[in-house]
Amino acid sequence: MKKQFIYMLLSFLFIGNLSAQQTPAPKQSKKISIVGATAHIGNGSVIENSLIEFENGKITFVGKSYDKSPEGEVMNYNGKHVYPGFIAANTSLGLAEIDAVRATRDFDEVGGYLPHIRSIIAYNAESKVVESMRPNGVLMAQVAPRGGTISGTSSIVQFDAWNWEDAILKVDDGIHVNWPSSLSRGRWWLGEDPALKPNKNYAKSVDRIKSYIKRAKKYLSGNRSPKDLPFEAMDKLFHGNQKLFVHVSGEKSITDVVNTFKKLGIKNLVLVNAEGAQKVTQLLKDNNVGVILRRSHRLPNSDDEDYDLPFRMAQLLTENGIVVALGMEGEMERMNTRNLPFYAGTCAAYGLGKEEAVKLITSNAAKILGIDDKVGTIATGKDATLFISEGDALDMRTNIILNAFIQGRKISLETHQTKLWKRYENKYKNQ
């Protein structure tokens, strides 16, 4: 009986190891030179026949291949393309594994005002879903909570880690607020008119948010007794060391958000989703407000909008001087995050331009999230978080990742999906 128990335990351990994410890569041990690839720097510029060198996880040289002799391990990628690691903003990656299994969903806490809830604590570095991002070049993400009026605090992670502590790029980067809609639809199942109409409770909902912010500000400027954890969590916000990400849509609501938080003394404001932002670009530009758009593969928000407005939104905002990144909030958002480069590719096909589209998921995302000193572009002194693609990484036909590095570590691109692909590819080859 004892032997049977030991065999069963060993079997469970073996199966668990098979199903877990692969072991994180060891630290970079020698200098690496990538030679000959077309380098998409991430700031809009391109270097043909490039040389990129990195050591101890940091980029040490970026230039033409004939500028100097490559050093260390030389990787020749003539005719290929190198990009900074792509960054997914506003996603709940790692906070849920299987939507249908409640026990794996950890992105929405009970309560309405929860600025002290930290998404990073619940982040699962061994998620199979997170693992599947890397073969498309998505190597980093802002992990954000959902639900309530104030959902909690997001953090930014990289996708090669033993645990959430190892994964952190920037901890508690911002607090997320869900702004009420100024419009509402009637409940058709109760016989109400389903057409859009003014939301009767809009003003009251806005007043509750304003009141909460004012009470937090008053508490933080006083003796802080008795201690209030939710208010304590907002301290960095009022000092400008943390951003406020407001999930909002609609011209009136966006205008109210910008004006309200400006009066309340919030210095770093970012709009999330922001449908209708193209109508108030001057307001956003004057107040230095960045925008994280919803993913582009979706229908227009209303019947009278152009069918291709979701594809053109990034271009409309960019041409008016707004810093824009792409977010992932919506149905199947965690699984769909692997398609981030293709959402950017759609923006490129509808007027934005290829290198500007790359910026949506590299330098722009890094700037909005406050990590542009570390990542977002291929530049000397920044983390060596980058990848080499067979071709255009924004095109699903040529986004074939040959190698990828996170902080100089050469990571595995194998996932449960690539294993299944190879398994069934071999099956049909033999028929």
Side-chain angles (χ1 to χ4, degrees), residues 127-346:
S127 165
K128 280 190 173 185
V129 181
V130 170
E131 173 189 78
S132 69
M133 303 298 119
R134 306 191 301 190
N136 280 1
V138 183
L139 305 182
M140 296 162 283
Q142 179 195 43
V143 178
R146 301 283 184 251
T149 300
I150 299 181
S151 305
T153 304
S154 59
S155 290
I156 302 157
V157 299
Q158 50 81 14
F159 294 157
D160 184 55
W162 288 100
N163 49 45
W164 65 263
E165 292 97 329
D166 290 342
I168 289 172
L169 276 178
K170 186 171 185 178
V171 66
D172 299 335
D173 68 294
I175 292 174
H176 291 251
V177 173
N178 294 304
W179 193 261
S181 175
S182 61
L183 300 173
S184 64
R185 291 186 183 275
R187 297 167 293 181
W188 59 266
W189 59 91
L190 295 179
E192 297 175 355
D193 181 6
L196 281 172
K197 55 182 71 66
N199 181 359
K200 296 178 182 178
N201 297 316
Y202 177 70
K204 290 181 181 179
S205 299
V206 170
D207 284 343
R208 281 195 289 268
I209 295 174
K210 289 163 65 175
S211 174
Y212 190 88
I213 299 293
K214 288 176 181 177
R215 286 190 287 120
K217 198 171 184 179
K218 183 178 180 180
Y219 165 86
L220 292 167
S221 62
N223 61 13
R224 304 191 183 192
S225 180
K227 193 168 186 176
D228 189 300
L229 289 179
F231 287 166
E232 289 282 348
M234 301 179 75
D235 192 25
K236 291 181 181 178
L237 185 64
F238 293 111
H239 287 91
N241 300 321
Q242 198 175 46
K243 297 197 176 186
L244 184 67
F245 295 88
V246 184
H247 300 235
V248 59
S249 289
E251 182 180 354
K252 173 176 169 49
S253 295
I254 289 172
T255 302
D256 289 344
V257 163
V258 175
N259 292 331
T260 296
F261 288 111
K262 183 179 180 180
K263 290 178 182 177
L264 291 171
I266 304 297
K267 300 175 182 178
N268 294 319
L269 180 65
V270 178
L271 301 184
V272 182
N273 298 333
E275 293 177 22
Q278 77 279 8
K279 300 176 183 178
V280 289
T281 53
Q282 193 60 50
L283 175 69
L284 303 183
K285 187 175 180 180
D286 290 346
N287 290 278
N288 194 30
V289 176
V291 173
I292 298 175
L293 291 174
R294 287 178 61 195
R295 54 188 189 244
S296 56
H297 291 187
R298 57 185 175 84
L299 294 173
N301 197 43
S302 63
D303 294 341
D304 58 352
E305 288 180 347
D306 294 343
Y307 77 93
D308 59 354
L309 182 60
F311 309 152
R312 295 189 292 110
M313 271 292 289
Q315 187 262 336
L316 293 174
L317 296 180
T318 299
E319 69 180 8
N320 282 286
I322 312 300
V323 179
V324 182
L326 293 184
M328 293 305 307
E329 189 170 356
E331 293 185 7
M332 296 288 290
E333 65 178 79
R334 290 168 293 281
M335 294 69 179
N336 277 320
T337 300
R338 68 175 68 94
N339 293 321
L340 178 69
F342 313 136
Y343 300 139
T346 298

Side-chain angles (χ1 to χ4, degrees), residues 22-35:
Q22 65 268 358
T23 303
K27 287 185 178 181
Q28 183 183 0
S29 59
K30 56 185 175 181
K31 194 169 194 175
I32 294 176
S33 295
I34 296 173
V35 182

